[in-house]
Amino acid sequence: MQTVHTLTDLRAALRQFPNWALVPTMGNLHAGHLGLIARAQQENVPVVASIFVNRLQFGPNEDFDRYPRTLPRDAELLAGVGCDLLFAPSEAEMYPQPQTFRVLPDAAIAGILDGAARPGHFEGVATVVMKLFQMVRPRYAVFGKKDYQQLLIIRRMVEQFALPIDIIGLDTVRAEDGLALSSRNGYLTPEERAQAPQLQAALRALADDARMATAPEQILLLEQQAMTRLDQLGWTPDYLTLRRRTDLHTPTAQDLHQGVPCVVLGAARLGRTRLIDNLEC
Ligand code: PAF
């Protein structure tokens, strides 16, 4: 696997083949990321992974400084699964002058859920992903469904800017006890790690209960009950909610009646660590 750190070297390396698949990451790779690489390889084009901890998507009191940077180990993992190219730019290479032009996603999709809990987060994500797309010009790009709202926003961005990229979403990879794999799981103490699957269990219970609901008010009550239960277990929930898959808005009575595809999404803090998860239902 070739590793490049500059845009000049990236462009030279990309010239070897007409089409590429991109897997954007912030590093500290785990089996979930390697699953994204494997999925990209199914498109029968060479795969480029990017590793860049994107300051723009972190709030002022978030974990940008302590986000784990493990480049040598990540490069070994990527080489081990046959990734073709690693692009690991420095911050100066990625944002050579302050990035004053930004991609501002529609507030209807980016101002709710994680967008409400983390103001500016999706603007930072959309800006860096747009920039990576311009740098790499991939034919395909693969993202995990664990960041469900992020995936939806990226799909919309690609549609609205008519980018010639197929966006592929991959199911969340989980530990044996159900916890969604995430770089942030590494922040958990052993006690918190043992408790962490409670988030997924709460989402599963909410999905089961919501299946019977016929009105949005019932859903709201079930969501509040699910948040209270998680709170009693020592979590601080931001949201646990049932939404339509297409736009992440609350299903109407008619949607519920027609059984529109939904997803339950949750974000909650355990100690100092904020975890997110979701289940399609
Ligand atoms: O999902 C992530 O790891 C990041 O949000 C992404 C897409 C690499 C952008 O920084």
Side-chain angles (χ1 to χ4, degrees):
M1 184 186 70
Q2 192 183 351
T3 300
V4 293
H5 300 284
T6 65
L7 183 54
T8 310
D9 289 348
L10 173 70
R11 292 218 160 121
L14 291 170
R15 253 180 248 125
Q16 300 171 80
F17 299 99
N19 290 315
W20 288 81
L22 169 66
V23 177
T25 81
M26 296 205 300
N28 194 231
L29 304 182
H30 50 67
H33 295 109
L34 302 185
L36 302 179
I37 302 285
R39 177 62 191 83
Q41 287 167 333
Q42 285 175 17
E43 298 303 324
N44 294 315
V45 294
V47 175
V48 48
S50 64
I51 294 184
F52 179 67
V53 184
N54 173 37
R55 184 187 292 275
L56 295 189
Q57 71 189 72
F58 289 80
N61 300 318
E62 293 186 353
D63 54 344
F64 175 75
D65 288 331
R66 69 177 180 129
Y67 200 87
R69 276 116 171 132
T70 53
L71 188 59
R73 184 185 152 275
D74 292 346
E76 262 176 45
L77 286 173
L78 290 170
V81 295
C83 181
D84 300 277
L85 180 61
L86 167 59
F87 177 46
S90 65
E91 198 159 345
E93 187 68 22
M94 197 66 186
Y95 297 128
Q97 48 246 309
Q99 182 79 29
T100 50
F101 282 62
R102 304 281 175 98
V103 178
L104 190 60
D106 181 350
I109 177 77
I112 57 173
L113 305 173
D114 254 33
R118 305 180 66 189
H121 171 64
F122 288 119
E123 183 180 326
V125 170
T127 301
V128 80
V129 171
M130 177 62 103
K131 194 144 184 181
L132 287 167
F133 285 171
Q134 298 308 321
M135 290 170 146
V136 176
R137 306 257 165 163
R139 175 71 190 77
Y140 306 95
V142 187
F143 295 86
K145 282 195 192 174
K146 188 178 81 70
D147 295 295
Y148 205 89
Q149 192 175 5
Q150 166 176 286
L151 176 59
L152 196 63
I153 290 167
I154 291 167
R155 283 193 194 285
R156 290 263 177 102
M157 180 178 84
V158 164
E159 258 168 47
Q160 295 210 354
F161 287 108
L163 303 180
I165 305 171
D166 283 1
I167 301 298
I168 299 167
L170 193 70
D171 285 342
T172 303
V173 178
R174 297 181 180 280
E176 266 181 25
D177 60 6
L179 178 65
L181 297 192
S182 161
S183 299
R184 290 190 168 99
N185 293 349
Y187 298 153
L188 299 167
T189 64
E191 296 73 32
E192 289 167 349
R193 173 61 192 82
Q195 211 188 326
Q198 287 170 345
L199 177 59
Q200 196 236 5
L203 290 174
R204 199 167 286 287
L206 176 58
D208 287 346
D209 293 346
R211 201 165 292 147
M212 304 300 159
T214 53
E217 303 75 49
Q218 281 172 281
I219 301 280
L220 190 64
L221 192 62
L222 292 170
E223 291 172 353
Q224 281 163 354
Q225 288 167 348
M227 300 238 298
T228 304
R229 278 198 297 270
L230 209 53
D231 185 79
Q232 284 164 351
L233 291 170
W235 294 68
T236 311
D238 276 342
Y239 58 83
L240 285 178
T241 184
L242 179 92
R243 298 295 169 104
R244 295 192 293 235
R245 283 188 212 172
T246 47
D247 60 3
L248 300 186
H249 283 243
T250 306
T252 62
Q254 195 185 3
D255 291 333
L256 294 170
H257 180 67
Q258 291 174 347
V260 294
C262 285
V263 54
V264 284
L265 305 112
R269 205 170 292 277
L270 188 57
R272 290 177 68 206
T273 309
R274 184 175 186 275
L275 298 178
I276 60 171
D277 201 353
N278 63 79
L279 289 174
E280 288 180 333
C281 54

